[in-house]
Amino acid sequence: MATKRFEGTSEYVATEDLKVAVNAAVQLRRPLLVKGEPGTGKTVLAHEIAAALEAPLIEWHIKSTTRAVQGLYEYDAVARLRDGQLGDERVHDIRNYIKRGKLWDAFTSPKLPVLLIDEIDKADIEFPNDLLQELDRMEFHVYETGETVKAVDRPVVVITSNNEKELPDAFLRRCFFHYIRFPDRDTMAQIVEVHFPGIQQMLVSRALDLFYEVREVPGIKKKPSTSELLDWLKLLLHEDMPLEVLRERDPTKAIPPLHGALLKNEQDVMLFERLAFMARRKV
């Protein structure tokens, strides 16, 4: 593991600064905190790191109701009580009612894993603080059985955040931080080529023109992301959309063709409709 480095993969275009951040975090064995706009490849990055390091991937997807203790283990006292009432023999071994969490799996994995803690900012503000000790010491105590679960070696930890809320300073100090900037045009063209090998470059060029124009429209609420661009291109290819349609710069037709792949809420669709209406009034 120590000799392997992340250099991106054939399926994932990684910038030089991202490669540096990943390899630094792996070398230091500090949690890699990755922030960026939705759709910039934060979650996929963990998959690609695992593939590059030939390591198993353990995924913990965080929800608003997720508690930190669930990453360690959960004790099902209700099930044990029910089994006791039914006379089930399982009731005599409390281990039958302990469900291992993702951190437990990562700490005891036979092969050093990559642990993804995905969208940590979705949880309660105290969630990161509640994980501090376990991520620092790489161990925790199971009170019901009296055992201590300890990692033989520190797993590679990747933590993603969409920046929906601020993370505590104490948590940030323990992480290696990297912000994935939205891909520039050249990088985006490389990403498109990875997903659509041999795609017509004139089509890509015009599609990127429209895509970045949409992202720069003042007042847009949800800027289209990389994944939405790829969906849009897939539709354009499937519908065999003539290049002339994409070349159309008529301001009275402000909404791009098949815009449902790019614009994901009614406010943004209405914004483009208003722009088209205002342009028509000026004609």
Side-chain angles (χ1 to χ4, degrees), residues 4 15-16 23 40 53 76 99 101 108 113 116 123-124 144 183 189-190 194 202 211 242 248 266 269:
K4 292 172 182 162
T15 58
E16 202 57 42
N23 289 312
T40 48
L53 301 181
D76 194 343
K99 179 183 178 182
T108 59
L116 168 63
D124 182 85
E144 288 78 8
Q190 293 178 50
V194 165
M202 284 293 292
F211 175 74
E248 176 66 69
E266 64 276 13
V269 173

PDB file of all heavy atoms in Angstrom, residues 4 15-16 23 40 53 76 99 101 108 113 116 123-124 144 183 189-190 194 202 211 242 248 266 269:
ATOM      1  N   LYS A   4       2.307   2.456  -3.424  1.00  0.00           N
ATOM      2  CA  LYS A   4       1.396   2.825  -4.498  1.00  0.00           C
ATOM      3  C   LYS A   4       1.000   4.285  -4.377  1.00  0.00           C
ATOM      4  O   LYS A   4       0.838   4.818  -3.288  1.00  0.00           O
ATOM      5  CB  LYS A   4       0.158   1.932  -4.462  1.00  0.00           C
ATOM      6  CG  LYS A   4       0.469   0.481  -4.819  1.00  0.00           C
ATOM      7  CD  LYS A   4      -0.724  -0.410  -4.592  1.00  0.00           C
ATOM      8  CE  LYS A   4      -0.366  -1.857  -4.913  1.00  0.00           C
ATOM      9  NZ  LYS A   4      -1.301  -2.804  -4.338  1.00  0.00           N
ATOM     10  N   THR A  15      -6.710  16.373 -11.522  1.00  0.00           N
ATOM     11  CA  THR A  15      -5.768  17.473 -11.702  1.00  0.00           C
ATOM     12  C   THR A  15      -4.522  17.206 -10.858  1.00  0.00           C
ATOM     13  O   THR A  15      -4.545  16.380  -9.933  1.00  0.00           O
ATOM     14  CB  THR A  15      -6.407  18.808 -11.280  1.00  0.00           C
ATOM     15  OG1 THR A  15      -6.826  18.699  -9.900  1.00  0.00           O
ATOM     16  CG2 THR A  15      -7.613  19.138 -12.142  1.00  0.00           C
ATOM     17  N   GLU A  16      -3.458  17.932 -11.157  1.00  0.00           N
ATOM     18  CA  GLU A  16      -2.192  17.703 -10.457  1.00  0.00           C
ATOM     19  C   GLU A  16      -2.317  17.993  -8.966  1.00  0.00           C
ATOM     20  O   GLU A  16      -1.783  17.257  -8.123  1.00  0.00           O
ATOM     21  CB  GLU A  16      -1.100  18.579 -11.074  1.00  0.00           C
ATOM     22  CG  GLU A  16       0.307  18.089 -10.827  1.00  0.00           C
ATOM     23  CD  GLU A  16       0.544  16.663 -11.321  1.00  0.00           C
ATOM     24  OE1 GLU A  16       0.076  16.318 -12.430  1.00  0.00           O
ATOM     25  OE2 GLU A  16       1.187  15.893 -10.576  1.00  0.00           O
ATOM     26  N   ASN A  23      -2.240  11.838  -2.376  1.00  0.00           N
ATOM     27  CA  ASN A  23      -1.034  11.116  -1.979  1.00  0.00           C
ATOM     28  C   ASN A  23      -0.480  11.604  -0.647  1.00  0.00           C
ATOM     29  O   ASN A  23       0.055  10.815   0.139  1.00  0.00           O
ATOM     30  CB  ASN A  23       0.025  11.215  -3.080  1.00  0.00           C
ATOM     31  CG  ASN A  23      -0.358  10.399  -4.307  1.00  0.00           C
ATOM     32  OD1 ASN A  23      -0.745   9.241  -4.191  1.00  0.00           O
ATOM     33  ND2 ASN A  23      -0.277  10.995  -5.483  1.00  0.00           N
ATOM     34  N   THR A  40     -18.918  17.382  -8.721  1.00  0.00           N
ATOM     35  CA  THR A  40     -17.516  17.558  -9.116  1.00  0.00           C
ATOM     36  C   THR A  40     -16.688  16.290  -8.911  1.00  0.00           C
ATOM     37  O   THR A  40     -15.464  16.324  -9.050  1.00  0.00           O
ATOM     38  CB  THR A  40     -16.868  18.725  -8.342  1.00  0.00           C
ATOM     39  OG1 THR A  40     -17.167  18.598  -6.947  1.00  0.00           O
ATOM     40  CG2 THR A  40     -17.378  20.062  -8.829  1.00  0.00           C
ATOM     41  N   LEU A  53      -5.252   2.003  -5.440  1.00  0.00           N
ATOM     42  CA  LEU A  53      -4.463   1.393  -4.367  1.00  0.00           C
ATOM     43  C   LEU A  53      -4.754  -0.095  -4.205  1.00  0.00           C
ATOM     44  O   LEU A  53      -4.175  -0.754  -3.346  1.00  0.00           O
ATOM     45  CB  LEU A  53      -4.744   2.111  -3.037  1.00  0.00           C
ATOM     46  CG  LEU A  53      -4.437   3.614  -2.995  1.00  0.00           C
ATOM     47  CD1 LEU A  53      -4.752   4.177  -1.618  1.00  0.00           C
ATOM     48  CD2 LEU A  53      -2.991   3.890  -3.361  1.00  0.00           C
ATOM     49  N   ASP A  76     -29.127  -3.786  19.599  1.00  0.00           N
ATOM     50  CA  ASP A  76     -30.578  -3.924  19.432  1.00  0.00           C
ATOM     51  C   ASP A  76     -31.184  -4.564  20.677  1.00  0.00           C
ATOM     52  O   ASP A  76     -31.410  -5.774  20.739  1.00  0.00           O
ATOM     53  CB  ASP A  76     -30.882  -4.761  18.185  1.00  0.00           C
ATOM     54  CG  ASP A  76     -32.341  -4.655  17.757  1.00  0.00           C
ATOM     55  OD1 ASP A  76     -33.174  -4.212  18.586  1.00  0.00           O
ATOM     56  OD2 ASP A  76     -32.654  -5.023  16.606  1.00  0.00           O
ATOM     57  N   LYS A  99     -24.836  -4.846  15.969  1.00  0.00           N
ATOM     58  CA  LYS A  99     -24.628  -4.670  14.533  1.00  0.00           C
ATOM     59  C   LYS A  99     -23.398  -3.795  14.316  1.00  0.00           C
ATOM     60  O   LYS A  99     -23.332  -2.657  14.782  1.00  0.00           O
ATOM     61  CB  LYS A  99     -25.858  -4.002  13.900  1.00  0.00           C
ATOM     62  CG  LYS A  99     -25.717  -3.771  12.407  1.00  0.00           C
ATOM     63  CD  LYS A  99     -26.928  -3.042  11.843  1.00  0.00           C
ATOM     64  CE  LYS A  99     -26.745  -2.766  10.351  1.00  0.00           C
ATOM     65  NZ  LYS A  99     -27.898  -2.001   9.801  1.00  0.00           N
ATOM     66  N   GLY A 101     -20.755  -1.317  12.739  1.00  0.00           N
ATOM     67  CA  GLY A 101     -20.837  -0.137  11.868  1.00  0.00           C
ATOM     68  C   GLY A 101     -19.695  -0.110  10.874  1.00  0.00           C
ATOM     69  O   GLY A 101     -18.817  -0.986  10.857  1.00  0.00           O
ATOM     70  N   THR A 108     -11.276  -3.440  11.268  1.00  0.00           N
ATOM     71  CA  THR A 108     -10.987  -4.878  11.350  1.00  0.00           C
ATOM     72  C   THR A 108     -10.873  -5.541   9.983  1.00  0.00           C
ATOM     73  O   THR A 108     -10.813  -6.761   9.890  1.00  0.00           O
ATOM     74  CB  THR A 108     -12.084  -5.592  12.176  1.00  0.00           C
ATOM     75  OG1 THR A 108     -13.367  -5.373  11.553  1.00  0.00           O
ATOM     76  CG2 THR A 108     -12.122  -5.068  13.595  1.00  0.00           C
ATOM     77  N   PRO A 113      -8.303  -0.881   4.073  1.00  0.00           N
ATOM     78  CA  PRO A 113      -9.350  -0.377   3.179  1.00  0.00           C
ATOM     79  C   PRO A 113      -9.296   1.134   2.982  1.00  0.00           C
ATOM     80  O   PRO A 113      -8.560   1.852   3.664  1.00  0.00           O
ATOM     81  CB  PRO A 113     -10.624  -0.750   3.936  1.00  0.00           C
ATOM     82  CG  PRO A 113     -10.232  -0.530   5.377  1.00  0.00           C
ATOM     83  CD  PRO A 113      -8.763  -0.868   5.477  1.00  0.00           C
ATOM     84  N   LEU A 116     -14.963   5.580   2.981  1.00  0.00           N
ATOM     85  CA  LEU A 116     -15.624   6.798   2.505  1.00  0.00           C
ATOM     86  C   LEU A 116     -16.714   7.209   3.486  1.00  0.00           C
ATOM     87  O   LEU A 116     -17.636   6.440   3.756  1.00  0.00           O
ATOM     88  CB  LEU A 116     -16.246   6.561   1.120  1.00  0.00           C
ATOM     89  CG  LEU A 116     -17.205   7.642   0.605  1.00  0.00           C
ATOM     90  CD1 LEU A 116     -16.485   8.970   0.419  1.00  0.00           C
ATOM     91  CD2 LEU A 116     -17.878   7.201  -0.693  1.00  0.00           C
ATOM     92  N   ALA A 123     -25.289  15.666   8.223  1.00  0.00           N
ATOM     93  CA  ALA A 123     -25.647  15.266   9.581  1.00  0.00           C
ATOM     94  C   ALA A 123     -25.688  16.474  10.514  1.00  0.00           C
ATOM     95  O   ALA A 123     -25.349  17.602  10.136  1.00  0.00           O
ATOM     96  CB  ALA A 123     -24.654  14.230  10.097  1.00  0.00           C
ATOM     97  N   ASP A 124     -26.086  16.206  11.743  1.00  0.00           N
ATOM     98  CA  ASP A 124     -26.112  17.232  12.771  1.00  0.00           C
ATOM     99  C   ASP A 124     -24.720  17.831  12.958  1.00  0.00           C
ATOM    100  O   ASP A 124     -23.703  17.176  12.730  1.00  0.00           O
ATOM    101  CB  ASP A 124     -26.599  16.598  14.083  1.00  0.00           C
ATOM    102  CG  ASP A 124     -26.714  17.614  15.197  1.00  0.00           C
ATOM    103  OD1 ASP A 124     -27.758  18.287  15.290  1.00  0.00           O
ATOM    104  OD2 ASP A 124     -25.738  17.736  15.963  1.00  0.00           O
ATOM    105  N   GLU A 144     -21.172  -3.103  25.794  1.00  0.00           N
ATOM    106  CA  GLU A 144     -22.008  -4.281  26.061  1.00  0.00           C
ATOM    107  C   GLU A 144     -21.186  -5.561  26.210  1.00  0.00           C
ATOM    108  O   GLU A 144     -21.579  -6.477  26.934  1.00  0.00           O
ATOM    109  CB  GLU A 144     -23.037  -4.455  24.942  1.00  0.00           C
ATOM    110  CG  GLU A 144     -24.160  -3.424  24.942  1.00  0.00           C
ATOM    111  CD  GLU A 144     -23.721  -2.081  24.368  1.00  0.00           C
ATOM    112  OE1 GLU A 144     -22.598  -1.986  23.832  1.00  0.00           O
ATOM    113  OE2 GLU A 144     -24.513  -1.120  24.471  1.00  0.00           O
ATOM    114  N   PRO A 183     -14.319  21.972 -12.907  1.00  0.00           N
ATOM    115  CA  PRO A 183     -13.370  21.807 -14.016  1.00  0.00           C
ATOM    116  C   PRO A 183     -13.416  22.971 -15.002  1.00  0.00           C
ATOM    117  O   PRO A 183     -14.496  23.452 -15.360  1.00  0.00           O
ATOM    118  CB  PRO A 183     -13.841  20.510 -14.692  1.00  0.00           C
ATOM    119  CG  PRO A 183     -14.606  19.779 -13.631  1.00  0.00           C
ATOM    120  CD  PRO A 183     -15.242  20.830 -12.787  1.00  0.00           C
ATOM    121  N   ALA A 189     -13.265  18.984 -21.213  1.00  0.00           N
ATOM    122  CA  ALA A 189     -13.167  18.308 -22.510  1.00  0.00           C
ATOM    123  C   ALA A 189     -12.504  16.939 -22.355  1.00  0.00           C
ATOM    124  O   ALA A 189     -12.905  15.963 -23.004  1.00  0.00           O
ATOM    125  CB  ALA A 189     -12.381  19.174 -23.496  1.00  0.00           C
ATOM    126  N   GLN A 190     -11.505  16.841 -21.456  1.00  0.00           N
ATOM    127  CA  GLN A 190     -10.862  15.557 -21.183  1.00  0.00           C
ATOM    128  C   GLN A 190     -11.854  14.582 -20.533  1.00  0.00           C
ATOM    129  O   GLN A 190     -11.882  13.396 -20.866  1.00  0.00           O
ATOM    130  CB  GLN A 190      -9.662  15.746 -20.261  1.00  0.00           C
ATOM    131  CG  GLN A 190      -8.503  16.517 -20.857  1.00  0.00           C
ATOM    132  CD  GLN A 190      -7.388  16.690 -19.847  1.00  0.00           C
ATOM    133  OE1 GLN A 190      -6.944  15.734 -19.200  1.00  0.00           O
ATOM    134  NE2 GLN A 190      -6.915  17.915 -19.687  1.00  0.00           N
ATOM    135  N   VAL A 194     -13.240  10.938 -21.965  1.00  0.00           N
ATOM    136  CA  VAL A 194     -13.190   9.680 -21.209  1.00  0.00           C
ATOM    137  C   VAL A 194     -14.526   8.947 -21.300  1.00  0.00           C
ATOM    138  O   VAL A 194     -14.572   7.720 -21.460  1.00  0.00           O
ATOM    139  CB  VAL A 194     -12.823   9.954 -19.731  1.00  0.00           C
ATOM    140  CG1 VAL A 194     -13.131   8.736 -18.856  1.00  0.00           C
ATOM    141  CG2 VAL A 194     -11.347  10.316 -19.613  1.00  0.00           C
ATOM    142  N   MET A 202     -16.490  19.168 -32.741  1.00  0.00           N
ATOM    143  CA  MET A 202     -17.327  20.348 -32.964  1.00  0.00           C
ATOM    144  C   MET A 202     -18.542  20.324 -32.059  1.00  0.00           C
ATOM    145  O   MET A 202     -18.967  21.350 -31.524  1.00  0.00           O
ATOM    146  CB  MET A 202     -17.758  20.413 -34.430  1.00  0.00           C
ATOM    147  CG  MET A 202     -16.656  20.871 -35.373  1.00  0.00           C
ATOM    148  SD  MET A 202     -16.186  22.601 -35.085  1.00  0.00           S
ATOM    149  CE  MET A 202     -17.673  23.435 -35.622  1.00  0.00           C
ATOM    150  N   PHE A 211     -23.018  25.067 -22.239  1.00  0.00           N
ATOM    151  CA  PHE A 211     -22.971  24.623 -20.838  1.00  0.00           C
ATOM    152  C   PHE A 211     -22.408  25.714 -19.932  1.00  0.00           C
ATOM    153  O   PHE A 211     -23.001  26.053 -18.903  1.00  0.00           O
ATOM    154  CB  PHE A 211     -22.125  23.346 -20.747  1.00  0.00           C
ATOM    155  CG  PHE A 211     -21.891  22.861 -19.355  1.00  0.00           C
ATOM    156  CD1 PHE A 211     -22.913  22.242 -18.638  1.00  0.00           C
ATOM    157  CD2 PHE A 211     -20.647  22.999 -18.751  1.00  0.00           C
ATOM    158  CE1 PHE A 211     -22.702  21.776 -17.349  1.00  0.00           C
ATOM    159  CE2 PHE A 211     -20.428  22.535 -17.459  1.00  0.00           C
ATOM    160  CZ  PHE A 211     -21.459  21.919 -16.758  1.00  0.00           C
ATOM    161  N   PRO A 242     -28.940  17.907 -34.548  1.00  0.00           N
ATOM    162  CA  PRO A 242     -28.101  18.587 -35.544  1.00  0.00           C
ATOM    163  C   PRO A 242     -27.233  19.656 -34.888  1.00  0.00           C
ATOM    164  O   PRO A 242     -27.669  20.351 -33.964  1.00  0.00           O
ATOM    165  CB  PRO A 242     -29.116  19.227 -36.489  1.00  0.00           C
ATOM    166  CG  PRO A 242     -30.399  18.494 -36.253  1.00  0.00           C
ATOM    167  CD  PRO A 242     -30.371  18.066 -34.814  1.00  0.00           C
ATOM    168  N   GLU A 248     -27.242  27.671 -32.720  1.00  0.00           N
ATOM    169  CA  GLU A 248     -28.270  28.714 -32.690  1.00  0.00           C
ATOM    170  C   GLU A 248     -27.995  29.698 -31.555  1.00  0.00           C
ATOM    171  O   GLU A 248     -27.908  29.319 -30.392  1.00  0.00           O
ATOM    172  CB  GLU A 248     -29.639  28.066 -32.496  1.00  0.00           C
ATOM    173  CG  GLU A 248     -30.786  29.058 -32.363  1.00  0.00           C
ATOM    174  CD  GLU A 248     -31.008  29.834 -33.648  1.00  0.00           C
ATOM    175  OE1 GLU A 248     -31.452  29.231 -34.625  1.00  0.00           O
ATOM    176  OE2 GLU A 248     -30.701  31.036 -33.637  1.00  0.00           O
ATOM    177  N   GLU A 266     -37.685  24.529 -11.201  1.00  0.00           N
ATOM    178  CA  GLU A 266     -38.595  25.381 -11.972  1.00  0.00           C
ATOM    179  C   GLU A 266     -38.169  26.848 -11.982  1.00  0.00           C
ATOM    180  O   GLU A 266     -38.412  27.568 -12.945  1.00  0.00           O
ATOM    181  CB  GLU A 266     -40.021  25.255 -11.443  1.00  0.00           C
ATOM    182  CG  GLU A 266     -40.255  25.732 -10.015  1.00  0.00           C
ATOM    183  CD  GLU A 266     -39.918  24.668  -8.980  1.00  0.00           C
ATOM    184  OE1 GLU A 266     -39.269  23.661  -9.338  1.00  0.00           O
ATOM    185  OE2 GLU A 266     -40.292  24.832  -7.809  1.00  0.00           O
ATOM    186  N   VAL A 269     -35.744  27.263 -14.897  1.00  0.00           N
ATOM    187  CA  VAL A 269     -36.450  27.182 -16.177  1.00  0.00           C
ATOM    188  C   VAL A 269     -37.206  28.486 -16.425  1.00  0.00           C
ATOM    189  O   VAL A 269     -37.158  29.050 -17.523  1.00  0.00           O
ATOM    190  CB  VAL A 269     -37.422  25.983 -16.206  1.00  0.00           C
ATOM    191  CG1 VAL A 269     -38.272  26.012 -17.482  1.00  0.00           C
ATOM    192  CG2 VAL A 269     -36.653  24.668 -16.125  1.00  0.00           C
TER     193      VAL A 269
END
